[in-house]
Amino acid sequence: MVESVLSVGLELTDVKHRTVINCCACCSTAAGVMLAGLVSWALPNWKYSVSFAALSCFALFFFFRWFPESPRWLACRGREQEALAVVRRIAATNGSTVPPFALQVIQTVGKSKTDRRGFLSIFSSFNLVRNTTVLVIASSVHLLAMYSLVIAVSRLSANPFLGIVAQGLAKLPGHFMVNYFAARFGRRWSSVGSALLAALASLLIFCLLTEHIEGAAIVMATMLMQFSTVAGIGMVNLQSIELHPTCLRQIAACVEFAVAGISMSSLPYLVLMDDKRIPFAILCALELMVAFSVSFLPESALQRLPETLRDVAVFGRGQPYWSWKPKPALQYATG
């Protein structure tokens, strides 16, 4: 549900404001984690706490009427007039008008069937397969690390409810870090830095447990790790949305989270080991692998993003590996 809302929200946002929208949307998850800890503390009976979470989901139905559908998706489904209505609504919000040829463009998009091949579209080019594979690995490792901390909090903290609240609090600066560094230094190296920081935090927890140091030091270390993993997953989500064209965005997100869900089935076996240090040694190694892998993803900041499978097959070619601050592509700069 979170991925679907974020995907459509970023489709309706221009390139310059995608990081801001991503930050605002993801900060709600941090608030939800903190609320989950406080509600579970106030309602220790699991039936009441789960019922509260279920009832909270019904509040979403009151906001659907304000959330527009993706115009490109509507056009691809033959609903051109609805797509045009959404485009006009966006133009009115931005204080502009829709050009007279907008309907013709929408009809052209709707008639195009070359990009509608479903799941098999992922294998349409080596570039797309490579990017998707790297993003699948990064999502799986970051989510595994994130939820490992949630499960391990009962073994590392005297008060597990406050431990979860502290981890939720650490998510907020993580999302703001994604917004700042992704906009200033680009997506690629910011994603690498997040994974390296998560590996360093895992190593720190491993050392603290080795020296039998607990209490506030462990809580601060878990907050640092939660901060870095949240920044990492936020960056990977942003890269996934930008590196996949609209026709493949939701399919790629489903593949990433499906594989991540399978990997998270190992959570109890990983976290609940007799030796509490081993899980963090494993997570440290996995985060280092992610840092190395995501460094080969193309930079998508300030670039004209791929719209078709043909675009994504060549996207990122010619970009130097040892580049720092992203520079606008010629097409982006000239509009």
Side-chain angles (χ1 to χ4, degrees):
M1 181 171 59
V2 172
E3 182 66 21
S4 297
V5 172
L6 182 59
S7 178
V8 178
L10 292 182
E11 284 182 14
L12 301 174
T13 308
D14 65 352
V15 175
K16 296 180 180 179
H17 298 93
R18 281 198 178 109
T19 54
V20 177
I21 297 299
N22 183 62
C23 176
C24 294
C26 293
C27 282
S28 61
T29 62
V33 170
M34 289 188 288
L35 184 61
L38 294 174
V39 169
S40 299
W41 195 7
L43 302 173
N45 189 316
W46 69 270
K47 295 180 181 179
Y48 297 136
S49 58
V50 173
S51 298
F52 178 84
L55 291 174
S56 300
C57 293
F58 284 102
L60 297 174
F61 288 99
F62 296 101
F63 298 98
F64 284 155
R65 62 187 301 267
W66 287 292
F67 199 78
E69 185 55 84
S70 166
R72 184 180 179 88
W73 183 88
L74 290 171
C76 290
R77 293 301 181 276
R79 297 156 64 178
E80 291 89 355
Q81 293 300 326
E82 294 180 54
L84 182 61
V86 174
V87 172
R88 286 173 175 169
R89 178 178 170 187
I90 295 173
T93 302
N94 293 324
S96 60
T97 58
V98 176
F101 55 84
L103 182 58
Q104 297 178 358
V105 174
I106 292 174
Q107 291 174 343
T108 302
V109 172
K111 293 178 181 178
S112 175
K113 299 182 182 298
T114 56
D115 287 346
R116 292 186 236 169
R117 288 185 284 173
F119 172 78
L120 295 178
S121 301
I122 294 178
F123 303 97
S124 61
S125 65
F126 171 78
N127 200 34
L128 184 55
V129 172
R130 184 198 62 179
N131 293 345
T132 304
T133 302
V134 171
L135 290 168
V136 164
I137 294 173
S139 298
S140 300
V141 172
H142 286 318
L143 287 173
L144 187 65
M146 183 189 305
Y147 288 106
S148 293
L149 291 172
V150 175
I151 294 179
V153 70
S154 60
R155 308 181 72 193
L156 302 177
S157 176
N159 189 323
F161 301 109
L162 290 181
I164 292 178
V165 173
Q167 291 185 31
L169 186 63
K171 289 174 178 286
L172 288 173
H175 292 309
F176 283 104
M177 187 184 79
V178 169
N179 177 47
Y180 177 79
F181 283 93
R184 187 172 180 83
F185 301 110
R187 290 26 167 172
R188 187 161 62 101
W189 291 115
S190 298
S191 187
V192 172
S194 300
L196 288 176
L197 185 59
L200 180 62
S202 301
L203 181 61
L204 176 60
I205 296 175
F206 177 86
C207 295
L208 291 174
L209 293 175
T210 301
E211 298 297 327
H212 304 287
I213 300 175
E214 299 182 356
I218 285 289
V219 173
M220 295 299 294
T222 56
M223 289 181 66
L224 176 62
M225 187 173 176
Q226 190 67 260
F227 163 82
S228 53
T229 53
V230 165
I233 192 62
M235 198 70 66
V236 168
N237 284 340
L238 185 60
Q239 288 178 294
S240 177
I241 290 171
E242 292 184 340
L243 294 179
H244 290 113
T246 306
C247 60
L248 192 59
R249 192 166 292 136
Q250 289 289 358
I251 296 175
C254 290
V255 171
E256 292 169 19
F257 278 88
V259 176
I262 295 173
S263 67
M264 283 193 291
S265 63
S266 63
L267 272 175
Y269 305 99
L270 174 67
V271 179
L272 303 179
M273 292 181 176
D274 294 333
D275 191 340
K276 296 187 292 186
R277 302 173 302 167
I278 295 179
F280 295 99
I282 295 174
L283 291 174
C284 178
L286 291 175
E287 290 289 355
L288 288 175
M289 177 189 66
V290 169
F292 176 76
S293 301
V294 297
S295 68
F296 293 98
L297 290 175
E299 179 57 66
S300 55
L302 301 181
Q303 306 296 313
R304 187 172 294 280
L305 302 180
E307 291 290 340
T308 64
L309 295 179
R310 182 178 297 179
D311 294 339
V312 78
V314 298
F315 183 76
R317 290 184 181 178
Q319 290 184 0
Y321 180 81
W322 296 110
S323 59
W324 185 232
K325 289 186 178 182
K327 297 180 179 179
L330 179 62
Q331 301 94 328
Y332 175 80
T334 58

